[in-house]
Amino acid sequence: MNTPEPPQAVWRKSTYSGGVENECVEVADLKSHVGVRDSKDPAGGHLTLTRQDFADLLSQLRS
């Protein structure tokens, strides 16, 4: 789901991003959701996940 970004969203580089500078994922705390976007294209939109879906995604990426 791609929803409008709240004006108070603060994006930060995810600790799960790769070590290469052009492979960065940024995340933002959107209250009950988590925003995920490509740092190379911040104006290109973002993916909005529930906190549970975000946790599930991280679990899948770890395995």
Side-chain angles (χ1 to χ4, degrees):
M1 170 192 321
N2 197 0
T3 58
E5 175 181 328
Q8 72 276 12
V10 176
W11 293 92
R12 64 176 179 80
K13 180 180 173 186
S14 171
T15 57
Y16 295 96
S17 289
V20 181
E21 281 192 35
N22 14 338
E23 295 180 4
C24 297
V25 173
E26 293 179 328
V27 295
D29 181 355
L30 305 176
K31 300 199 185 232
S32 63
H33 291 78
V34 176
V36 181
R37 71 180 184 185
D38 182 350
S39 65
K40 294 183 304 273
D41 187 17
H46 67 277
L47 179 66
T48 302
L49 302 168
T50 65
R51 292 188 173 280
Q52 183 59 55
D53 287 342
F54 185 68
D56 292 345
L57 173 65
L58 294 181
S59 177
Q60 289 294 316
L61 292 173
R62 287 184 192 120
S63 58

